[in-house]
Structures are given as C-alpha cells and as structure tokens.
Amino acid sequence: MLKKIDAAARLIGRYSSLFQCPVCGLAMEMNENRTLLCRNRHGFDTAKPGYISLLTRAVKSDYGKTMFEARNLVCRSGFFQPLIERIGQTILTNISGGGLEPITVLDAGCGEGSQLAQLAEVWKRETPTGFLGAGLDLSKEGVAIAAREYAGFIWCVGDLARSPFRDQSFDVILNVLSASNYGEFSRLLSKDGMLIKVIPGSEHLRQLRHVLYDRSPRQAYSNEKTRALFMRHFDMLDERQIRYDVTLQKELLEPLVRMTPLSWGARDEQLQQALQLAIREITADFTVLVGRAKVQ
Ligand SMILES: [Zn+2]
C-alpha cells in the first residue's frame, strides 16, 4: 500500500493547478521529493502524516489536540449528520453536476476533517459526479488528525487570510462554525460557486449553555452581525435553520463539553459541573447561510 505521505503528494501533485504560492502567488508544482514548489523556488514539503503545510509564518492556534480529538469522536458519533445531509442536498440542488470533472469543495476551517469527509460520503451516495475535497486549517493538530483519519482528501495547514489556492478554484466553500474571510472566499470561488456558512443558532447545546455560559443576548447579537457581513459580500440564495435533538451516549458528554467553544472561557468548576449533568438529549441548532459572491 502507498505510504500516506506518498499518497498525499500524488494527490496534491495531480491537482497542483489548484494551488498558488502563498509567498509570491505563482503557480506551483509537486517535485519528486514531495515538495510543492513555485518558480521562485518557494517550497513546501508534504508531511509524513499525509498533509501539507503552506504557512509562511508561525501562527498560534487557540485549539489543541485534545479539543480536536474530542471533536472527532463527537463527529463520528453522527452528531452533525442531519446538518451534513442538509448541506449535501443544498449543493446537489444548486450546482449543475453531471460533468466529467469532479466538484471541488474547500472546507475553510476544516479542523479534524470529519465534516468534509462526511459530506463526501453523502455526495457519493447521491451522484456519480466526483468529489474533490480540500481542507484548510490554521491548526496543525487538527489537520494531522484529518490526514490520519480520512484518506483521499487534500489536507492543508494554512492561513485563510493568505490562502494557498488560485482564483476561482472551488465550486463550493464550506465554512462551518469557523471564522470567515469573504475577500478570499470571493476570490477562490468559481463563477457560479457557492459559499455555505454555518453559524450556531440560539438553542445550540442549550443543555450545556446554562452551566458553561451566562445567559446573555450575545449570541443572537453576534449572529445578526455575521449575517449582515455575509450579505455585504454575498447574495443570499438560501437561509435556513436546522434544529434537532440528539440522544447522547454517556461517554460522549465529556468530548462534547471539551470540543465546544462554550467551554473555552469556562472556569474549571463550571466544566466539572457540566460533566456531572445527566444529559440524555442535547440540542443541535444551526443557521445555514448559502450565497453566491456579488459581482464586483
Ligand atoms: Zn513563490
């Protein structure tokens, strides 16, 4: 079997036309030493676990390995499945498929990669059109888990603000519970490309919220701001809320608490308190914004 590093280098090499040098913006090619190289000789090595780092400077990520491992467990349990199904249907409805070329999907802020991998599964079930998925995240810890768990995707450590991809490279950009860069999204999307942004709704994880977070109108306010910013850059094609309850197996409570942004600012005693809760059902609540870039 092909080693992970070789499989990754081969896949990136095959689709090297998606990339541009994050230093100088020139086109890139994969060489025989598994280095992605531009003509100005800026080079980026494929890493052993099967990803490529295209960071041009040291960037500190706020999220550690523990958080991403927890998130991976929760994702694998199917927690996000109804959301992913919905996203899959949205893409199928809005993208004219059936061509010979695979649809190209960038997960901007892919973390540990589960959502892109699960979306690819939905896609394969529904259509014979190929699916080329690339995941980009600032966190090496997250991307390393993605490469370990999910083969057949392009996994990149990189900065969304200087993303290492060429103009109009992607049919779909997925941006789930993660920071946006609308300038880059507009640049990276193909002519009829589509941005799918997921933000947490007011009921999201409400069973944990009252322990971990003060009840405050902050969330609603920040969603309004996010929505306004989205609409400044993108024409809204669709906007919908997805809310469902998940029966929580006991052993998933801890990873769920550990992976959630709600807990990052929580005090230790609040975390302990949350872990003591006998939560059987947990609410997932998302708003999905779908847009096309405004014509400049
Ligand atoms: Zn360069």
Side-chain angles (χ1 to χ4, degrees):
M1 212 175 101
L2 211 56
K3 278 194 289 186
K4 283 212 154 180
I5 184 171
D6 291 316
R10 186 181 287 188
L11 186 66
I12 293 165
R14 187 168 159 207
Y15 292 102
S16 61
S17 62
L18 290 176
F19 288 86
Q20 71 175 25
C21 177
V23 180
C24 69
L26 284 185
M28 305 189 88
E29 270 184 43
M30 184 63 79
N31 75 7
E32 64 281 7
N33 296 321
R34 311 185 200 97
T35 301
L36 192 62
L37 209 60
C38 80
R39 251 175 299 143
N40 286 332
R41 315 284 304 163
H42 299 124
F44 301 87
D45 296 334
T46 310
K48 217 173 187 175
Y51 64 86
I52 190 161
S53 175
L54 293 128
L55 280 178
T56 54
R57 57 193 172 99
V59 176
K60 203 175 154 289
S61 161
D62 296 336
Y63 318 135
K65 187 166 189 297
T66 317
M67 193 280 275
F68 287 116
E69 294 287 8
R71 192 180 170 85
N72 190 249
L73 272 176
V74 172
C75 288
R76 283 182 173 279
S77 78
F79 184 80
F80 291 97
Q81 197 60 37
L83 171 68
I84 303 293
E85 293 284 343
R86 184 66 245 169
I87 291 172
Q89 294 306 325
T90 299
I91 300 173
L92 283 163
T93 312
N94 287 289
I95 294 274
S96 45
L100 292 174
E101 293 294 315
I103 181 176
T104 50
V105 180
L106 173 66
D107 187 350
C110 65
E112 43 64 61
S114 296
Q115 286 162 351
L116 182 61
Q118 288 171 349
L119 179 62
E121 288 301 315
V122 171
W123 184 262
K124 280 177 204 156
R125 194 187 65 209
E126 299 289 334
T127 168
T129 303
F131 183 103
L132 177 67
L136 179 75
D137 203 285
L138 258 186
S139 166
K140 190 176 84 175
E141 284 78 14
V143 172
I145 296 172
R148 181 189 76 200
E149 298 289 327
Y150 306 110
F153 299 87
I154 295 174
W155 298 116
C156 306
V157 182
D159 191 351
L160 180 58
R162 304 177 61 123
S163 66
F165 302 109
R166 272 167 71 177
D167 296 6
Q168 303 194 1
S169 289
F170 295 98
D171 301 312
V172 176
I173 293 178
L174 195 63
N175 184 222
V176 181
L177 308 177
S178 179
S180 297
N181 183 315
Y182 292 106
E184 281 293 83
F185 290 166
S186 304
R187 181 180 76 75
L188 295 174
L189 278 173
S190 61
K191 200 162 71 51
D192 294 318
M194 181 168 60
L195 170 63
I196 301 177
K197 181 170 177 64
V198 178
I199 53 183
S202 59
E203 295 292 300
H204 191 51
L205 307 180
R206 67 181 165 81
Q207 296 84 347
L208 289 173
R209 205 171 270 259
H210 73 281
V211 183
L212 294 174
Y213 207 49
D214 316 325
R215 279 172 199 274
S216 75
R218 237 188 310 181
Q219 186 74 61
Y221 175 68
S222 108
N223 274 8
E224 244 344 282
K225 268 180 28 183
T226 302
R227 201 171 161 276
L229 197 60
F230 183 99
M231 290 179 70
R232 201 178 306 158
H233 298 268
F234 279 75
D235 292 321
M236 191 83 77
L237 291 180
D238 189 30
E239 175 181 6
R240 70 181 68 206
Q241 190 180 35
I242 298 173
R243 185 183 289 173
Y244 51 91
D245 288 325
V246 178
T247 306
L248 196 67
Q249 290 152 306
K250 207 160 148 257
E251 61 273 20
L252 280 176
L253 178 59
E254 181 165 354
L256 188 73
V257 169
R258 300 243 173 254
M259 74 166 233
T260 167
L262 294 176
S263 71
W264 299 342
R267 295 185 309 274
D268 226 28
E269 58 184 290
Q270 286 174 298
L271 281 179
Q272 290 310 320
Q273 211 185 330
L275 295 177
Q276 298 309 315
L277 295 173
I279 296 176
R280 300 236 165 70
E281 294 250 297
I282 189 109
T283 303
D285 181 16
F286 307 103
T287 301
V288 182
L289 309 176
V290 182
R292 280 198 213 286
K294 286 187 194 290
V295 181
Q296 297 297 320

